[in-house]
Amino acid sequence: MSACHKPSSTKKDDKVSFVMALAGNANVGKSTLFNQLTGLHQHVGNWPGKTVERREGSLVVDGYAIDIIDLPGIYSLSTFSIEELISREYIVFDRPDVVINVVDASVLERNLYFTLQLLELQAPIVIALNMVDLAEDKGLSVDAKKLSELLGVPVVPTVASKGIGIYELIRQAINLAEHKIKLRPMNVTYSKDVEERIKKLMELLKDENIYYPIRFVAVKLLEGDEDIKRRVSKKVVETAEKLAKEIEEIRGIPAPIVIASERYAIIGKIIKEAQKVLAPYKIGLIEKIDQLLTHKILGYLIMVAVFFSSFYAIFTFGDYLSTILSEAFDTIKPSIISVTGEILWEGFFGGFIAGVTLLIPFVIPFYFLLSVLEDVGYLPRVAFLLDNVMHKVGLHGKAIIPLIMGYGCSVPACYACRIMETPRERLISAFAVTFIPCTARLVVIYGLVGTFVGIEWAYLLLLVNLVIVIGMAKLAFKVCPGESMGLIMEVPPLRLPALKTVLTQTWNNIKSIMYVVFPIYILGGGILAMLYSLNVLQPVEGLMAPLTVEWLGLPAYTGIPLLFGVVRKEMIIIMPAILFGTTNFELLFTPIQMITLAFVAMYYVPCVSTFMILKKEFGWKTACYIAISQLAFATFIGGLFYRALHALL
Amino acid sequence: MKNNGAEHSGPYRHRHRYRQRFGDLVSLLELKNGQKGVVVLLEGDEKVIRRLSELGIVPDTVVEVINSIPFGGPVEILVRGSKLVIGKDIAKGVLVRVESDEE
Ligand SMILES: Nc1nc2c(ncn2[C@@H]2O[C@H](COP(=O)(O)OP(=O)(O)OP(=O)(O)O)[C@@H](O)[C@H]2O)c(=O)[nH]1
Ligand SMILES: [Mg+2]
């Protein structure tokens, strides 16, 4: 991957290099195409809004070095969302040599709305007419040649998920970058009332110094674009507002809507010529299943069943695998010769073993199931079902997507909060996400409570957690100022999972564990064992005792694991496993202690990575507030919880 | 709840004027599953309306309600070949003329 941008063709290592950006609506296959082109593994999934940040990759083809930029999906070049502004500025200010506009052939009409604006922006575009397979399934056929003639830009049919049409696409893009083909972009012309006013504004804009094409600016001003307004003089803004009012007077609807309607009218004409309906729309089996999944009663029953059985399957499978693995490791334990040897073995290798037997068995099935749900397109359906529930806590349906992802890892889940439209909703949902037990915490719950106390107690902890998450979100809703918006979401088609996508996604999610986390265990284990043998840690445990022993009723040796848990939550059980050389936690904790420890582990503080993401997204202050409120909550409620358990059991 | 729903004033509040011009309008929420309507008017927060129009929900567009959740849940609609779900507060501001009446 290369981090540098080259604004236009430059020679490097005798290769001509270009920058090409992938832009288009959400969920049209931009990242799939990106992965095909670059061989990287950018997150793909069947729901709109996965890519939230620009990502770069590169490829070499026919002697050209090409930097590919994957942009977040957007519906318009207005400034409705932060992503739209970022993508627009990228296209205008960084000037990629080619903008590859990926469009979904099965929803061509809506996708062309964005294309039309790219044309107005005078971007150098090549169109990837993607998902032609899906369009065919829907009985639609798009005439790429006709479309290309009408729009005046190259159009290449592709099926990104199968790698079809990709070479042709990149060839066309190279030709455009090398000016071997010339675009004849169609003129986007509005009705007389609007055109007159665009001309008037363009006249005024001649004296202004802006980077955008002036016609684009004039249209955006009539649409009331806030960002563009800030870039021009006050006089122009006032004139634009006056002209927009005039349009509204004449047409009886606000100017932005007049302009949107007229764009759709232009698109309507294009569609008429370039798209044919081959077969009338039929409701197939998948459609019937979809109706069940989103049914007003059955949909909820299915949802509960899906989630319950997922957790059950993860636990059963994980437990089974965990047992096999630890038995296997027991047999290969060498006889130990020296004391130092013992420390090293128990520490370094113990960290490795604990990681393999405790983490892997639960994490792999989890991500496998999550990837299936994502690929099938189930998440947006859950968003639909739970919209009114989410409204009760100041969010809307889409927020359920980061929350579900939070059961995997809080870090991508906090990023995913960007699918929420307003800063306030992003904050509330990220706050709620930090209370969701990620796989690391699920490992603690399953490994301690599920295995040694009983699976019903593990479920109870998860159910109690749901109540806590709702309560916390509600609290955040009360204290956070700002605006909320309602749900407007595109529903991607439901489909059977593709094994390859699911496996790749699963691997993507767990590979960081292999590369980053295992070294941490091994190192952490070694260091811990050594420090203990040098009697360094016992005083620290003593210092923590009032909290751990007196208030929470835990053994003193949980103090250090809880500190390590700030790095990775599962360290809370991996550390004792290393120290005592066993994963049979019955020997170390009473059932009540296990439940209390799992409870505290679920909430006590965001791990370092989560904290860094919170800081990045919301700033130091907010990140600290969240961490402190969690610490306070976990210790206070944890102590009460322990006393309640004691009284009950 | 302080969600920016349809309860807005300003340039987007023309319902009565339109009522006189077009006869009875109903919101998306009042359509039954499978029923179609032609969009006449969008009411509500300016940003929301703009987003709806960018997604193709503009006057004279045919929309079909295909699914809905009772008790304040969202509606699912088919518009220009794509499926969208829209929360109750927003759907309330999309005013349509029921198709069959027109023909
Ligand atoms: N049938 C079919 N599916 C495709 C095709 N291309 C991509 N997909 C699938 O469409 C879904 C969305 O793909 P992504 O690449 O994540 O889409 P994106 O445009 O990056 O989406 P955002 O990042 O959310 O904007 C994935 O499930 C892909 O497997 C195609 O040509 N045909
Ligand atoms: Mg993407």
Side-chain angles (χ1 to χ4, degrees), chain A residues 4 11 55 110 140 206 243 251 278 330 391 400 455 514 579 621:
Chain A
C4 54
K11 293 250 178 194
R55 181 92 200 263
R110 205 212 41 236
L140 298 171
K206 274 198 181 126
L243 294 173
R251 304 286 285 269
L278 298 178
D330 276 346
H391 266 289
I400 200 69
I455 183 68
M514 307 295 179
L579 280 180
K621 223 172 99 188

Side-chain angles (χ1 to χ4, degrees), chain A residues 212-231:
Chain A
Y212 290 87
I214 57 170
R215 187 179 158 90
F216 178 84
V217 173
V219 175
K220 282 293 160 202
L221 282 171
L222 290 178
E223 288 186 273
D225 186 296
E226 291 301 327
D227 176 68
I228 296 282
K229 276 186 188 171
R230 278 191 291 274
R231 291 171 185 275

Side-chain angles (χ1 to χ4, degrees), chain A residues 18-64:
Chain A
F18 294 116
V19 179
M20 299 182 181
L22 301 171
N25 287 181
N27 211 47
V28 296
K30 296 178 297 300
S31 298
T32 313
L33 190 58
F34 176 86
N35 291 348
Q36 289 277 2
L37 288 169
T38 60
L40 294 172
H41 299 289
Q42 169 79 303
H43 188 146
V44 300
N46 196 10
W47 50 279
K50 291 159 299 290
T51 307
V52 292
E53 261 193 330
R54 199 165 89 199
R55 181 92 200 263
E56 300 188 14
S58 58
L59 86 151
V60 173
V61 59
D62 297 349
Y64 297 90

Side-chain angles (χ1 to χ4, degrees), chain B residues 2-14 43-46 49:
Chain B
K2 273 185 277 180
N3 280 339
N4 285 332
E7 58 281 343
H8 269 262
S9 54
Y12 298 94
R13 188 131 193 95
H14 296 295
E43 285 182 340
D45 177 62
E46 191 181 327
I49 287 183

Side-chain angles (χ1 to χ4, degrees), chain A residues 27 29-35 38 40-53 55 70-72 367 370-375 379 401 405 409 411-413 415-416 501-502 504-506 508-509 511:
Chain A
N27 211 47
K30 296 178 297 300
S31 298
T32 313
L33 190 58
F34 176 86
N35 291 348
T38 60
L40 294 172
H41 299 289
Q42 169 79 303
H43 188 146
V44 300
N46 196 10
W47 50 279
K50 291 159 299 290
T51 307
V52 292
E53 261 193 330
R55 181 92 200 263
D70 188 18
L71 294 170
Y367 278 117
L370 182 64
S371 305
V372 170
L373 292 182
E374 259 189 67
D375 195 45
L379 302 188
I401 294 176
M405 290 177 71
C409 174
V411 174
Y415 268 122
T501 322
V502 169
T504 323
Q505 277 301 107
T506 310
N508 274 349
N509 281 316
K511 72 173 176 225

Side-chain angles (χ1 to χ4, degrees), chain A residues 76 78 80 84 107 109-110 138 223 252 254 257 261 264 287 294 300 384 388 391 483-484 487-489 491, chain B residues 1 3-4 12 18 49-51 53-56 58 67 69 71-72 74 80-87:
Chain A
S76 165
S78 60
F80 177 78
E84 285 175 353
V107 203
E109 199 171 346
R110 205 212 41 236
K138 276 173 96 176
E223 288 186 273
I257 301 188
S261 304
Y264 270 106
E287 197 80 1
T294 53
Y300 291 93
F384 174 70
N388 45 4
H391 266 289
E483 51 169 352
S484 292
L487 173 72
I488 306 179
M489 182 185 61
V491 189
Chain B
M1 236 189 310
N3 280 339
N4 285 332
Y12 298 94
Y18 276 84
I49 287 183
R50 230 188 291 163
R51 165 75 359 155
S53 64
E54 286 168 352
L55 290 169
V58 290
N67 195 358
I69 299 290
F71 310 116
R80 298 183 191 271
S82 78
K83 278 184 187 171
L84 297 174
V85 295
I86 296 181

Side-chain angles (χ1 to χ4, degrees), chain A residues 148-313:
Chain A
S148 167
E149 273 167 28
L150 292 168
L151 296 170
V153 299
V155 176
V156 182
T158 57
V159 181
S161 49
K162 297 200 184 102
I164 297 172
I166 293 189
Y167 180 72
E168 171 66 12
L169 175 70
I170 207 79
R171 274 310 324 179
Q172 291 283 7
I174 293 171
N175 287 344
L176 179 62
E178 292 203 308
H179 307 290
K180 282 190 188 146
I181 42 175
K182 240 186 112 44
L183 301 183
R184 274 185 202 67
M186 69 174 286
N187 292 320
V188 181
T189 320
Y190 299 93
S191 63
K192 207 170 127 258
D193 307 330
V194 181
E195 278 299 331
E196 274 169 11
R197 287 166 181 86
I198 294 175
K199 296 274 150 54
K200 263 187 205 159
L201 274 176
M202 283 171 71
E203 204 54 45
L204 274 179
L205 286 165
K206 274 198 181 126
D207 317 324
E208 302 260 331
N209 195 6
I210 16 170
Y211 211 72
Y212 290 87
I214 57 170
R215 187 179 158 90
F216 178 84
V217 173
V219 175
K220 282 293 160 202
L221 282 171
L222 290 178
E223 288 186 273
D225 186 296
E226 291 301 327
D227 176 68
I228 296 282
K229 276 186 188 171
R230 278 191 291 274
R231 291 171 185 275
V232 298
S233 66
K234 213 165 149 227
K235 196 181 101 213
V236 176
V237 174
E238 277 165 9
T239 316
E241 279 166 1
K242 198 184 101 235
L243 294 173
K245 263 260 121 33
E246 288 173 15
I247 294 175
E248 187 177 337
E249 298 279 293
I250 301 170
R251 304 286 285 269
I253 38 177
I257 301 188
V258 171
I259 291 173
S261 304
E262 293 193 3
R263 285 201 189 108
Y264 270 106
I266 296 169
I267 293 165
K269 291 200 193 100
I270 297 173
I271 292 283
K272 233 190 204 137
E273 291 198 48
Q275 178 181 288
K276 273 198 222 44
V277 181
L278 298 178
Y281 187 65
K282 268 211 312 280
I283 292 184
L285 179 64
I286 295 263
E287 197 80 1
K288 290 238 170 71
I289 296 175
D290 195 3
Q291 284 171 359
L292 282 183
L293 292 183
T294 53
H295 187 264
K296 59 189 175 202
I297 300 160
L298 289 174
Y300 291 93
L301 296 178
I302 295 173
M303 183 181 74
V304 170
V306 164
F307 287 122
F308 185 81
S309 53
S310 298
F311 279 109
Y312 184 74

Side-chain angles (χ1 to χ4, degrees), chain B residues 19-33:
Chain B
R19 280 252 149 100
Q20 286 165 5
R21 239 160 88 183
F22 293 104
D24 254 358
L25 299 180
V26 296
S27 86
L28 278 185
L29 290 180
E30 291 155 80
L31 292 186
K32 287 193 233 16
N33 289 354

